[in-house]
Amino acid sequence: MPRVSGKAKTRKAVAKRFKVTGTGKVLRRKQGARHLLQCKNRKRKRGLTSAALVSDADIKNVKENLPFH
């Protein structure tokens, strides 16, 4: 949702979920590592701990909500 006028504010919910790197890439956490971990093997759970890049289709929306990053 773009803002037309007024002061640019950071969406705090977005700021807690995403990180912008120095080169402008947007990082996110992977889903699926919160519960029901017994049925997932070790390799799969380890893979869920690393960060992933946000897809190109979503980068614009995330950056609009993080105006100072």
Side-chain angles (χ1 to χ4, degrees):
M1 193 162 73
R3 293 184 178 82
V4 179
S5 64
K7 190 184 213 179
K9 287 187 169 183
T10 299
R11 293 283 173 107
K12 298 309 250 182
V14 177
K16 291 169 188 173
R17 287 169 172 80
F18 300 97
K19 179 188 174 191
V20 181
T21 64
T23 56
K25 296 175 184 173
V26 183
L27 298 175
R28 63 169 175 85
R29 286 183 52 91
K30 292 182 183 172
Q31 57 93 24
R34 293 242 177 218
H35 62 111
L36 301 177
L37 297 173
Q38 273 183 318
C39 62
K40 297 170 186 163
N41 59 35
R42 285 183 189 181
K43 183 177 178 182
R44 184 172 165 193
K45 287 186 277 192
R46 262 199 323 273
L48 293 173
T49 61
S50 59
L53 291 174
V54 173
S55 70
D56 293 335
D58 298 324
I59 287 177
K60 181 176 174 257
N61 290 332
V62 172
K63 286 189 173 180
E64 276 180 0
N65 290 308
L66 298 173
F68 302 107
H69 289 83

